[in-house]
């Protein structure tokens, strides 16, 4: 049984905790939150039996903890990973790995120097829809992949730290584009690198909340000549939008992860319906078992299984570094108005 310690108790921390409930060979044994109130609320959830810690270092040093999951805001990732490495534990870090490519490189150097196991928590490639599409692509079902369009959008983040672009490192592109950049790499092949990008971004609707872009689009050009178009939005109301279109030389695939078999018109609020829902009455589109639909359960099961076996996971900090470098190039392109190389 792998003992897991969780750093963070916000939305993504709760999501990871629920996902770990789906992992037979893991047990959440310890948690830490920067907010005492959230820490208490986290511990009070029915069926939850975790040891609270007052500091990140204390959790990392807990002998019951084998694997630490970092579910903290972007600006805390480097500090958290340093503490995990000092304790010699395995680590999983939520996306994006860092705020910049330089910071991501530093994080990778920390775990490499310490010789610890590391996993990059990019849920999109583990979501059932995309996993099935990738299986079809890998089997040659649509021939050679030529082009991909992906969109992830909602009406804006649920926590204040996302809106502080200077501290967080960016806006919608960093927050959401990291998902679609990595899914593009997944479909076009890790041995087929993104070599240059062209991007546009603007703050269209949330000038009162952020200096970061709330809308962006980027073109990613691969070494093999293929192109992916990715859209990231914090201005789209009505809940999550998660869509991919993959075009090949002998067919095409479409995935819509946010599509749901349940929808209806309700006149009385009934509680939580779906992440980023903007209304609790009227026409509603709840997503059953979100942690599985979005790939969180599958990624945590994968990480625990690979960690227990001493094998590298599908997504490592190396992948997180590549994504950060692509995002950096996109931000340069937003400023220059030109295609920019990926460093």
């Amino acid at each position: 049984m792998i003992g897991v310690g969780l750093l963070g108790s916000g939305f993504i921390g709760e999501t990871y905790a629920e996902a770990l409930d789906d992992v037979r060979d893991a047990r959440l044994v310890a948690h830490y939150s920067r907010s005492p109130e959230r820490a208490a609320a986290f511990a009070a959830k029915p069926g939850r039996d975790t040891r609270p810690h007052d500091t990140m270092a204390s959790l990392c040093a807990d002998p019951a903890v084998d694997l630490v999951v970092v579910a903290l805001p972007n600006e805390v990732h480097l500090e958290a990973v340093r503490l995990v490495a000092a304790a010699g534990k395995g680590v999983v870090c939520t996306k994006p790995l860092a705020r910049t490519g330089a910071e991501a490189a530093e994080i990778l150097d920390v775990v490499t120097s310490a010789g610890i196991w590391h996993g990059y928590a990019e849920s999109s490639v583990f979501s059932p829809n995309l996993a099935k599409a990738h299986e079809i692509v890998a089997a040659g079902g649509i021939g050679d992949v030529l082009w991909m369009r992906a969109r992830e959008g909602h009406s804006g983040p649920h926590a204040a730290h996302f809106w502080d672009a200077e501290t967080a490192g960016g806006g919608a592109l960093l927050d959401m584009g990291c998902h679609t950049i990595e899914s593009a790499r997944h479909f076009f092949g890790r041995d087929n690198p993104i070599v240059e990008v062209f991007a546009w971004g603007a703050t269209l609707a949330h000038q009162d909340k952020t200096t970061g872009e709330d809308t962006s689009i980027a073109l990613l050009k691969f070494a093999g000549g293929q192109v992916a178009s990715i859209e990231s939005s914090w201005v789209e109301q009505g809940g999550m939008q998660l869509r991919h279109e993959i075009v090949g030389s002998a067919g095409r695939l479409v995935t819509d992860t946010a599509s749901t078999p349940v929808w209806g018109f309700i006149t009385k609020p009934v509680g939580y319906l779906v992440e980023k829902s903007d209304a609790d009455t009227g026409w509603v589109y709840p997503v059953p078992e979100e942690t599985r639909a979005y790939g969180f359960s599958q990624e945590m099961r994968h990480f625990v299984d690979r960690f227990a076996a001493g094998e590298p996971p599908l997504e490592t900090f190396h992948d997180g570094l590549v994504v950060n470098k692509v995002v950096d190039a996109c931000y340069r392109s937003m400023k220059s108005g030109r295609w920019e190389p990926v460093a």
Side-chain angles (χ1 to χ4, degrees):
M1 183 66 67
I2 303 300
V4 179
L6 181 64
L7 297 177
S9 60
F11 182 87
I12 194 61
E14 283 286 357
T15 300
Y16 288 157
E18 184 177 339
L20 285 163
D21 288 339
D22 261 351
V23 183
R24 181 180 58 188
D25 296 325
R27 187 166 70 89
L28 185 58
V29 296
H31 73 276
Y32 160 83
S33 176
R34 298 184 300 169
S35 162
E37 294 77 19
R38 284 202 305 270
F42 183 91
K45 291 291 178 69
R48 190 165 288 170
D49 181 22
T50 65
R51 181 183 298 112
H53 285 268
D54 294 332
T55 67
M56 293 191 290
S58 172
L59 181 142
C60 294
D62 190 330
V65 172
D66 304 303
L67 180 65
V68 178
V69 176
V70 179
L72 294 164
N74 302 348
E75 64 271 18
V76 192
H77 291 184
L78 177 55
E79 178 188 1
V81 172
R82 281 177 173 156
L83 291 169
V84 179
K89 306 296 176 71
V91 61
V92 169
C93 185
T94 191
K95 64 80 196 172
L97 181 61
R99 294 172 290 183
T100 65
E103 190 174 67
E106 190 171 356
I107 290 175
L108 178 59
D109 182 64
V110 168
V111 297
T112 302
S113 298
I116 63 171
W117 186 98
H118 49 95
Y120 175 54
E122 175 43 72
S123 58
S124 67
V125 301
F126 293 97
S127 66
N129 287 352
L130 283 181
K132 175 54 70 174
H134 187 264
E135 180 183 315
I136 293 170
V137 167
I142 63 169
D144 296 326
V145 180
L146 305 175
W147 174 83
M148 188 191 89
R149 178 191 181 203
R151 175 172 181 77
E152 181 159 353
H154 55 61
S155 60
H158 45 259
H161 62 83
F162 286 97
W163 296 103
D164 184 350
E166 286 71 28
T167 301
L173 174 66
L174 180 63
D175 176 37
M176 308 178 75
C178 60
H179 287 302
T180 45
I181 289 169
E182 187 58 7
S183 60
R185 294 184 66 232
H186 194 53
F187 281 107
F188 287 114
R190 306 285 176 79
D191 58 347
N192 181 20
I194 300 167
V195 292
E196 60 178 337
V197 303
F198 184 86
W200 168 88
T203 313
L204 297 181
H206 298 296
Q207 294 90 343
D208 59 328
K209 292 183 178 181
T210 186
T211 58
E213 75 288 350
D214 59 19
T215 309
S216 74
I217 183 168
L219 299 177
L220 316 177
K221 186 181 296 183
F222 288 78
Q226 307 91 338
V227 172
S229 165
I230 64 166
E231 303 169 32
S232 308
S233 173
W234 283 350
V235 304
E236 187 164 330
Q237 297 188 4
M240 295 287 290
Q241 295 295 313
L242 303 170
R243 184 179 174 88
H244 286 70
E245 302 171 34
I246 304 108
V247 176
S249 58
R252 71 184 182 104
L253 294 168
V254 178
T255 73
D256 193 343
T257 304
S259 289
T260 171
V262 182
W263 69 91
F265 188 90
I266 63 176
T267 57
K268 178 182 177 181
V270 295
Y272 181 85
L273 295 168
V274 65
E275 181 186 358
K276 306 298 192 306
S277 176
D278 297 303
D280 55 8
T281 59
W283 284 102
V284 296
Y285 303 87
V287 174
E289 301 191 30
E290 277 185 294
T291 55
R292 294 177 181 174
Y294 296 153
F296 294 111
S297 294
Q298 294 86 341
E299 75 171 349
M300 286 299 160
R301 188 178 306 119
H302 172 81
F303 286 142
V304 168
D305 288 348
R306 290 292 180 91
F307 176 74
E311 300 173 354
L314 176 64
E315 295 283 330
T316 72
F317 284 9
H318 293 278
D319 299 295
L321 171 59
V322 172
V323 171
N324 271 119
K325 286 183 174 180
V326 173
V327 172
D328 284 355
C330 288
Y331 281 137
R332 290 196 302 271
S333 179
M334 286 182 189
K335 292 179 179 179
S336 71
R338 300 188 299 266
W339 284 89
E340 293 284 348
V342 177

